[in-house]
Each structure stands twice: as C-alpha cells, then as structure tokens.
Amino acid sequence: MHFIACMSQNFARLVFALTLLFFCAFFLWPILQILKGGFIDADGKLTFAYLGSLLTDPIYLGALGNSFLLALTTTCFALLIALPLAYVSDRFVFPAKGLLGSFVLVPMILPPFVGAIGIKQILGQYGALNALIVDLGLRPHGWTFDWLGANQFLGIALVNAFSLYPIIYLNAVAALANIDPAMEEAAENLGCTGFRRFFKITLPLIKSGLFAGGTIVFIWAFTDLGVALIFDYAKVMSVQIFYGLKDIGGNPFPYALTAVMLFSSIVFYGLGKGLFGRDSYAMMAKATSSGGPKEISRGRAWLCTAFFALVTFVAILPHLGVVFVAFSNDWYATVLPRHLNLHNFEIALGHDLTVPAIANSLKYASISTLVDLFLGIALAYVIVRSKVPGRQLLDFLAMMPLAVPGLVLAFGYLAMSQDGKFFEFLNPTKNPTILLIIAYSIRRLPYVVRSAAAGFQQTSETLEEAAQNLGCPPLKALFKITLPLIMANLIAGGLLAFSFAMLEVSDSLILAQKQLYYPITKAIYELFQLLGDGKYIASALGVWAMAFLGITIIGMTLLLGKKLGAIFRV
C-alpha cells in the first residue's frame, strides 16, 4: 500500500513539474515580456516614465476610461437581462419553458464581433429599422438616421451584453437552484414578501453566483477587440493596442498600455473572487420544504412566456441580421432582403480565403483541445486527488487565463518571439501555427480543468484505492476506473474548449498574419473589410460557424444541464 501511495505521489509531482514548466514558458514568460517592454528602458533600468506618459496622454487615458465604462455598462445590461430571466425560469412553470430556456443560450453560438455585422445592417443609416419606420408611415420616404453613429458606445455595450448575458444567466440559474426554499418561506412567514424578500433574502444568497458570471463578462467586455473594430470605434484600449502592434519592435507605449490592461483585468478578477467568490451560506436539504418551480395563473404564465420570448428575440437580432445578410446579395433600405439565395454559402465553402481558414481552425482547435484534455485531466488529478505541496499554486495558475485577456497573451507571444529573442523560432510572421495552438490551449484550459475537477470531486476515491489494492497501478486505475465515470464532464469541457477555440477572436486577429494560416475569425474580419460581396461571404461563413457551435452548445447542455454554469465561474 505504501509503495502504491509513493507511485501516486511521484506521478503527481511529475505532473506538477511539467505543467508548471509549461505555464512558466507560455503564460508567465509572455507576461514578463510585456512588463519588460513597458517598464525597462534601453539601459536595462526600471522606469515608470512610459507609464507616466501614457497616463497623462488624453488619448490613452480616454481609451482606458472608455474601456472601463464600456465593461461596466455591458455588465450592468447583462445583469438586467439575465437576472429576471433566471428568476422566472427557476421559480415558475409556464408554456414553452424548455424550448425558450434552450434559446437563451443562442447568443453564445457566435462571437460578438460577428453579431456586430448583423446589428450594423439592422441599425445602419439604410438599415432594416429605418426602412420599417418609413414603411409604417412614421417618417417620410427617404428619411434616414444613423442609430449607431449617434452613439457607438451604447451600441457596442448592447451588442456585448446580448451576446454575453447567458454566462450570468447560467450562473444565476445554478445559484437559485441551490437556495433552500425554507429560508425564503421563513422570511415570507415573517411578513417579508415580494421585491423586499428578493432584495433582502434571495439576492444576497445568489450574490456569489452573479458576481462569478459578472466578473467574466466584465473582463470579456473590458478587453473585447472584435466588436470595437467592426464598429470602427478606436476610443478603447484594445483597439489602441491592436493599432500599436505595427510598432511593437521599438515603441514602448503599446507594452505599457497592455500592462495596464493586464493589471486592470487581474484586479477586477481578484475583486470578483476575493469579495464575492467565497461567500457561502449553510443551507438545509431541499427536501425540508416544498421547492421547485410553482404553478401560476394562466395569464401570468403566458406573461412569463412573452417576456422570455421578447428578450430572446432581441438578443438574437444580431444573429438574425447575419443570417439575412448571408442569404442576400443586396440588402439596402428594406426591412428584409428582396432576394434570398444560397449563393454566398456556396462561395463561403469554395472561396480561396475561407476553405483554408476552415481547415486551419479545425486543425488548431482539435490539437489545442487534445492538449487541454491532457493537461486538464492531469491538473485536476493533482489538485483534487494528491497531497503535493504547492498544488494550490497550480490551481491558481490554471484559473488565471480567465483573468488574463487573450489580447494581452497574444501581444505577449508577439513580444517574446521577436527576432533576437529566445522564442524567435515561433515568430508568427513566419508560421503562427504553434503559437495559435498554444494560445487556444492556454485560454480554454480553465474550462477543462473545472470540468475534470468537478468530476473527480463527485467520484469517490475509494474506487481507485480498491483497484490499487488489487494490484492495479495508479495511472492504470485512473484510466480504467475514474475517467470512464467522469466522461460526461470531460466531453462537455472538451466541447466547450473546442468550440470556443474554433471561434477565438483576439489571438486569431493578432497572431495570424499570413493569409495561408488564417483561422475562421480572421477570415471573417478580412472578408468584412473587402468591398463588394465581402460582407455577404463573411456573414455566410459566420452562419456556418454558428450552426457548428450551436450543435456543440446543445451537446454540452444535454451532458451538464444546469451544471453548465459552473464552468463560467471565477
């Protein structure tokens, strides 16, 4: 028995050493290169001059403020959308509840920047909304109004909010499902009812779940690049960094700006986890009282259905816009396209830019998912099963990619692979394949680790111990006994990692610099900028991606159900 325990500990130590080396090379090292570029001068001395100049420059300071306000506005909008939906879904029975609950996840099947193409078509100067207003006789023929031009900031916030609110919704539903109904019933018996009970009892109990999802949404919106580029809105940090990539070799200001974004994201992550991520309340088993969704009057039930349907419809408007653009060749000043056809879809699967992009994305995403599964299982095993000193550090590092934006990591990879650097053989200007696979792996590893760790925690360790007592080595016991039992968790985490890698935005836009190596998202962005039919082919490619990711989301929902929200927690 002692020999088996030693083997298990040696295996855990080996995993610990190898994964720590991997993180040091491809997570900590690129971050250090950013800090070095922003805070070390030409003489190799520490300096804050670049940071001081940046924080006194009205352009950069304004971009930082806009990014913060944009993230805060997006998160507030997402909370206002997700919280009522989650409460209604958890507490009441109403017609088409299952179907509408599935549609809530639809906004996750397309990156926000692709949805921005659709919303520009709907809200543009000659878009569908203006055409509808004219057709209804509310304005004379020929009247136009640039809804997006009037307030680009608000437009970006709404596009991001309607794309990201499912993350908060999933966490809120899971948190509401864990509340002991007896606590709310006790409050009601003491005269605390309605909104007062919700704000005094229910909201504090689900606060940690809301902030878990809200932190992810905030960081995502704070560092988003794609939507701002599509809206041609340069007054945010992410776009300023993107434009600064041209001078990465000799200009320290992009480094300093990226360091500010990195520091800000980590602070927001720490606040979300430290202040709200550890709140917990002891609750009795749900069987102690009558919980679950309640039957309500027919009128109120249909009101819930209408509310769900309305929010879902508004949320998928960008997706509908992309679909209609993909099916049309000329959508101009009409509510709907005049002619629908499949021509763009045929071109999207035969264009010299899109075909290699699809193959590249499949290659990058597949290999990165295999890396994530290998590392995720190993990390989760060490974190949950072993007693290796320092495993908490490994757990912390495994979750840190949630706090470090993809834009920051991509910038770090560019910095560390410049000519003359140790990793110059990985320079993406020559071939970005390895860096893209590593970037995708690092970015989505937390989801696989979280899924695998949850599986290990739910599976009794005595099963492995029994197999080991019968002479089965620890590694074989892991593969023969435990992994088959947690396969649903691994498949769900793997699907999530694969689907998000297929449609990764920041890493793809920055690292893929040659057309030969473009993934899908870079191809969509390049096509959108082409004159003529570029926008229509880009939308068709987006619809193909939407269909693919939709299938994976359905698969994850069937495998994990309400537990899906736990993957998006800090």
Side-chain angles (χ1 to χ4, degrees):
M1 185 67 183
H2 178 70
F3 175 71
I4 293 174
C6 287
M7 285 182 62
S8 181
Q9 285 295 97
N10 289 335
F11 172 70
R13 290 191 186 98
L14 178 63
V15 169
F16 182 89
L18 292 177
T19 51
L20 192 60
L21 181 64
F22 179 77
F23 271 102
C24 286
F26 297 111
F27 184 69
L28 298 179
W29 186 250
I31 291 175
L32 286 175
Q33 295 304 301
I34 293 171
L35 298 177
K36 180 181 176 183
F39 296 98
I40 303 296
D41 62 17
D43 298 325
K45 297 179 181 179
L46 178 66
T47 178
F48 293 97
Y50 308 139
L51 179 63
S53 299
L54 185 148
L55 294 179
T56 55
D57 188 308
I59 295 177
Y60 290 131
L61 197 59
L64 175 60
N66 285 336
S67 294
F68 177 80
L69 289 176
L70 187 61
L72 187 63
T73 306
T74 298
T75 307
C76 289
F77 282 161
L79 277 168
L80 290 174
I81 298 166
L83 188 54
L85 286 180
Y87 188 84
V88 169
S89 176
D90 182 73
R91 298 304 165 90
F92 307 121
V93 176
F94 51 89
K97 177 180 177 179
L99 178 64
L100 290 171
S102 300
F103 276 125
V104 167
L105 301 179
V106 167
M108 293 180 65
I109 67 174
L110 199 64
F113 96 99
V114 181
I117 298 175
I119 208 68
K120 285 192 72 173
Q121 184 65 50
I122 295 171
L123 299 181
Q125 193 170 356
Y126 295 97
L129 179 60
N130 285 343
L132 178 62
I133 292 173
V134 171
D135 288 351
L136 292 175
L138 301 177
R139 286 290 186 272
H141 183 73
W143 173 85
T144 62
F145 182 76
D146 191 354
W147 298 93
L148 296 176
N151 198 326
Q152 287 179 303
F153 179 94
L154 191 60
I156 295 172
L158 286 172
V159 169
N160 277 325
F162 277 114
S163 297
L164 300 175
Y165 83 88
I167 295 175
I168 298 179
Y169 170 84
L170 290 168
N171 278 281
V173 167
L176 285 166
N178 289 329
I179 292 179
D180 180 6
M183 303 185 76
E184 293 181 314
E185 290 171 6
E188 189 170 1
N189 291 336
L190 293 173
C192 185
T193 59
F195 284 106
R196 187 181 176 196
R197 184 184 67 176
F198 176 79
F199 285 105
K200 291 284 187 180
I201 306 297
T202 308
L203 193 58
L205 292 176
I206 65 172
K207 181 176 63 176
S208 61
L210 290 179
F211 277 91
T215 301
I216 299 299
V217 171
F218 186 95
I219 294 174
W220 198 320
F222 181 73
T223 62
D224 177 72
L225 172 64
V227 177
L229 283 177
I230 295 296
F231 274 77
D232 197 22
Y233 187 71
K235 300 176 182 178
V236 288
M237 290 178 66
S238 56
V239 177
Q240 292 293 326
I241 292 171
F242 184 73
Y243 290 159
L245 293 176
K246 300 170 186 175
D247 301 323
I248 192 173
N251 187 355
F253 288 101
Y255 288 91
L257 192 61
T258 307
V260 170
M261 174 177 280
L262 170 65
F263 176 76
S264 303
S265 299
I266 292 176
V267 168
F268 299 143
Y269 175 87
L271 288 174
K273 189 174 180 65
L275 293 180
F276 307 105
R278 296 182 180 181
D279 290 347
S280 61
Y281 300 90
M283 299 192 194
M284 301 175 68
K286 281 200 168 188
T288 58
S289 63
S290 56
K294 297 178 181 179
E295 296 283 349
I296 52 179
S297 66
R298 189 172 181 181
R300 293 178 64 193
W302 278 106
L303 190 62
C304 290
T305 301
F307 171 67
F308 241 86
L310 177 62
V311 173
T312 304
F313 174 75
V314 174
I316 65 175
L317 269 179
H319 302 71
L320 293 176
V322 172
V323 171
F324 280 120
V325 171
F327 276 102
S328 66
N329 288 326
D330 183 20
W331 188 5
Y332 181 81
T334 57
V335 178
L336 294 174
R338 291 188 178 90
H339 306 289
L340 301 178
N341 57 69
L342 298 174
H343 182 61
N344 296 319
F345 292 94
E346 296 172 2
I347 296 177
L349 294 182
H351 194 279
D352 58 357
L353 183 60
T354 60
V355 174
I358 294 171
N360 287 335
S361 283
L362 285 170
K363 178 174 67 175
Y364 303 152
S366 300
I367 299 175
S368 68
T369 301
L370 291 176
V371 173
D372 280 339
L373 285 171
F374 177 79
L375 288 176
I377 293 170
L379 284 168
Y381 182 84
V382 172
I383 293 166
V384 177
R385 288 283 195 260
S386 77
K387 301 292 189 292
V388 174
R391 66 186 184 280
Q392 292 83 4
L393 172 64
L394 212 57
D395 187 21
F396 175 76
L397 283 175
M399 292 299 109
M400 276 306 292
L402 290 175
V404 178
L407 178 62
V408 171
L409 272 181
F411 189 94
Y413 291 142
L414 274 183
M416 76 179 195
S417 59
Q418 295 294 297
D419 291 340
K421 298 293 182 69
F422 179 78
F423 286 101
E424 68 173 316
F425 64 94
L426 295 177
N427 196 317
T429 58
K430 301 170 184 175
N431 187 337
T433 299
I434 295 177
L435 275 185
L436 280 170
I437 290 171
I438 292 171
Y440 291 176
S441 301
I442 289 285
R443 294 271 290 138
R444 304 309 168 193
L445 181 60
Y447 302 138
V448 180
V449 172
R450 190 62 58 81
S451 297
F456 281 124
Q457 289 168 348
Q458 294 162 5
T459 306
S460 175
E461 194 173 354
T462 57
L463 297 173
E464 292 178 44
E465 293 173 350
Q468 291 170 15
N469 289 336
L470 294 173
C472 185
L475 193 59
K476 187 176 181 181
L478 174 67
F479 281 96
K480 289 286 187 179
I481 306 297
T482 309
L483 292 189
L485 294 175
I486 65 172
M487 191 55 66
N489 294 69
L490 298 180
I491 292 174
L495 281 174
L496 190 66
F498 180 76
S499 57
F500 277 140
M502 282 287 291
L503 297 175
E504 175 63 41
V505 178
S506 297
D507 299 313
S508 302
L509 293 183
I510 291 175
L511 296 177
Q513 300 184 19
K514 286 186 177 180
Q515 181 176 327
L516 180 64
Y517 303 105
Y518 283 177
I520 287 176
T521 45
K522 185 63 177 276
I524 291 174
Y525 176 68
E526 293 295 333
L527 283 168
F528 178 75
Q529 297 188 98
L530 294 178
L531 297 176
D533 59 356
K535 175 176 69 175
Y536 303 100
I537 301 173
S539 297
L541 187 57
V543 173
W544 281 120
M546 197 190 310
F548 168 79
L549 189 50
I551 293 172
T552 61
I553 292 290
I554 292 171
M556 287 184 295
T557 305
L558 294 175
L559 286 169
L560 289 186
K562 289 186 176 181
K563 293 184 290 183
L564 181 61
I567 295 178
F568 293 97
R569 292 191 179 180
V570 295

